Every structure is written in C-alpha cells, then in structure tokens.
Amino acid sequence: MYRAIAANKRNTVIIMALFVLIIGGLGALAGYIYNDPIITIFVVGFAAVYALIQYFAASRLAIAVNGGREIQKKDAPELYRLVENLSIATGLPMPRVFIIDDPAPNAFATGRNPRHAMVAVTTGLLDIMDKRELEAVLAHEMSHVKNYDILVNMIVFGLVSAIGMIADLILRMTIFGGSNNDNRNPAMMIIGLVAIIVAPIVAMLVQLAISRQREYLADASGALTTRDPEGLAMALEKLKTASRPMKRQNSSTAHLFFANPMKAGFMSKIFATHPPLDDRIARLKKNEARM
C-alpha cells in the first residue's frame, strides 16, 4: 500500500511537469509567430496569474455550482461525527461539511489547503451507504485533503483553463491579426498552428491522468486511515449498481468527485476523470494483505 502511494506521487510530479512544458511551448510558439520574446514571457505570466486566481476562488465555486449546503453537527450528527473522527485520526483540521441534494451517490473534497478544506456528500450517498461504507468514502475524501490533492486539482484546473484561453487567443491573433514578420518559415507556421490547436486537448488529457492517479492514491491512503480496505471496496461495489449521473452536470468539477458524476457515454469513457471502478476494487483487494 505504501509503495502504491509513493508510485502515484511520483507519477503526479511527472504529469505536472508536462503542464510546464505545454505552457512553455505555447509561449515559445507565440513568440516565434510574432517574432517577439516578450509574448513568451506574457504567456507564461498569464498562466501563472490565472492559476493563482483559481487557487483562491475555485473551491468556493465548486461548492456553489454543485449546490452544496453547509451543515452543522445538529443537522446530520452521524455524518459530522465521522468527519470529526477522521480529522482526529489524520491529524487534520476539521473541514467544513456540505450536503448536496442529489439522488446520485457521490462525494468530493475541495479547498486550497487543509485549513480551508471542504467535504461535500450527496443525499444519494447518505441513503445507500451503511456507516462502514460511508466512513470509507469519507476517509478517501479526507485523504485528498491530507495528500494536497485538493490543491493539485485546483491548480491543474486553472492551468487547463489558462492553456485553453491562451491557445484560443494566439490562434485568433494569428488568423485575424497578421504579423510584422514576413520571413517566417511556412512549415514551422503550420506546425505551430497545429500545436496551438492540439495543446488544449493534450492539457485536458494530462488533467485526466492526474485525476486518475490521485484517485488511486486517495483509495490507498483512505484504506490506510481506516485499516479497512474491504469497507472501501464494498462502497465501490455498491456504486457499480447504484451509481447515476448528477442532476447538475458540470465537467469542470467532475474530477473532484469520488466517482464519475457525468452521464455515461462513448466520449465520457475516453475522457474519463476516474479510473474504472473494477480497477480500483482490484487494487484495494490486491493490497489488502500488505497492510
């Protein structure tokens, strides 16, 4: 289990490095197309500022767009106590707790750091999970907080959005704005334009890869917290038959959830934010004997 955690952390660092290369490559292409190195600096700076804005604002937006309602202990005593106990077990500050009025069983954690963390569960999850399974799901979400996945997810979301905006802006300027450089290599220009179009797609695929790695990591960390990988496997098994799309379909926050909240379909499988439930269950059972 510890080896699985270490491997997933290494993979996430490698994947995050790809974002730096994508943004740097976009900046270099823009500088080449317009023969102006200042544009390269602007592109990288814009991406950094945009990611910083996301760092402070995205978590509150994620709660709002999914209809989260903050609760206190008197509103849902068992849920609140489970989160309190897991906070003590993990040595984390008590996060704010939210309930989403949605029959789809799901949950997510967000926030820029453990001191500003938020944990949200749907009414559908509370309806179908017993106490053991609910604790396992919450341990998974608290692991996202402890492992700083909530920070990684917010920054990654900001970078993906920034790359899309930058690529779109450069493409529009190239097509409609012209350039003061008449000696550009046509082949390089074509390569550059293709790269600008492809970059947002690659960035999104990188985001999906990070999301999948962090889900495996949270599964392993959550199982270590409760010492009950079977409980989490049981919760995932239950989702195989009870899972359904969220009422509020929001692709920008889909990667935050415990299970894929989007409607199933061909494209959703290709661009899935989560590993298959069967794979997650198999990993938990494989590592159960090692704990």
Side-chain angles (χ1 to χ4, degrees):
M1 196 70 77
Y2 287 106
R3 285 196 295 270
I5 292 173
N8 281 302
K9 285 183 176 179
R10 286 195 301 271
N11 290 340
T12 299
V13 171
I14 293 170
I15 294 169
M16 287 289 286
L18 289 175
F19 271 112
V20 177
L21 292 176
I22 293 170
I23 292 172
L26 277 176
L29 280 170
Y32 171 79
I33 290 171
Y34 283 89
N35 196 27
D36 188 350
I38 298 298
I39 293 179
T40 303
I41 298 171
F42 172 79
V43 167
V44 175
F46 174 83
V49 170
Y50 193 86
L52 188 63
I53 293 171
Q54 287 295 128
Y55 172 78
F56 287 103
S59 58
R60 292 190 295 275
L61 181 61
I63 291 289
V65 298
N66 288 290
R69 169 177 58 88
E70 187 168 8
I71 64 161
Q72 302 302 322
K73 194 169 190 175
K74 61 183 175 61
D75 301 314
E78 183 173 285
L79 169 63
Y80 206 89
R81 275 196 296 269
L82 285 173
V83 177
E84 277 185 326
N85 292 340
L86 288 167
S87 297
I88 295 169
T90 55
L92 294 170
M94 177 67 187
R96 296 165 64 186
V97 183
F98 295 78
I99 289 180
I100 300 170
D101 185 15
D102 196 307
N106 227 318
F108 73 89
T110 187
R112 63 180 182 269
N113 56 46
R115 294 190 64 83
H116 296 88
M118 308 172 193
V119 174
V121 300
T122 65
T123 51
L125 187 81
L126 298 175
D127 288 341
I128 71 165
M129 298 290 174
D130 62 26
K131 184 176 180 179
R132 180 186 182 187
E133 294 161 348
L134 180 58
E135 181 182 44
V137 173
L138 291 171
H140 169 103
E141 296 305 326
M142 292 297 288
S143 292
H144 278 310
V145 176
K146 185 175 183 179
N147 296 333
Y148 279 81
D149 295 342
I150 53 176
L151 171 60
V152 172
N153 283 331
M154 290 299 99
I155 292 176
V156 166
F157 173 66
L159 290 175
V160 170
S161 301
I163 287 170
M165 292 175 64
I166 290 168
D168 183 65
L169 178 62
I170 295 173
L171 186 61
R172 289 174 183 273
M173 290 173 62
T174 302
I175 294 174
F176 302 109
S179 171
N180 58 5
N181 184 6
D182 298 324
N183 299 315
R184 294 170 295 176
N185 186 321
M188 284 299 297
M189 282 295 298
I190 293 172
I191 293 172
L193 289 173
V194 170
I196 289 168
I197 294 170
V198 171
I201 299 173
V202 174
M204 184 172 62
L205 293 175
V206 173
Q207 178 190 21
L208 298 179
I210 287 180
S211 177
R212 294 172 192 142
Q213 291 293 331
R214 304 312 282 192
E215 288 304 314
Y216 284 131
L217 175 58
D219 282 347
S221 299
L224 278 175
T225 298
T226 60
R227 297 292 173 178
D228 184 20
E230 185 182 9
L232 184 54
M234 289 167 56
L236 291 168
E237 286 281 5
K238 191 169 283 187
L239 285 181
K240 287 173 64 176
T241 55
S243 183
R244 56 191 290 186
M246 299 278 289
K247 288 190 299 185
R248 299 191 182 195
Q249 295 282 296
N250 196 303
S251 59
S252 64
T253 59
H255 64 291
L256 299 176
F257 280 86
F258 178 69
N260 188 4
M262 305 298 289
K263 183 178 180 180
F266 176 72
M267 291 303 293
S268 67
K269 290 181 180 179
I270 294 177
F271 296 102
T273 55
H274 294 67
L277 293 176
D278 285 331
D279 287 358
R280 294 169 68 181
I281 293 167
R283 288 198 181 201
L284 285 166
K285 291 181 176 179
K286 179 181 178 182
N287 288 308
E288 185 175 1
R290 301 177 185 175
M291 293 188 62

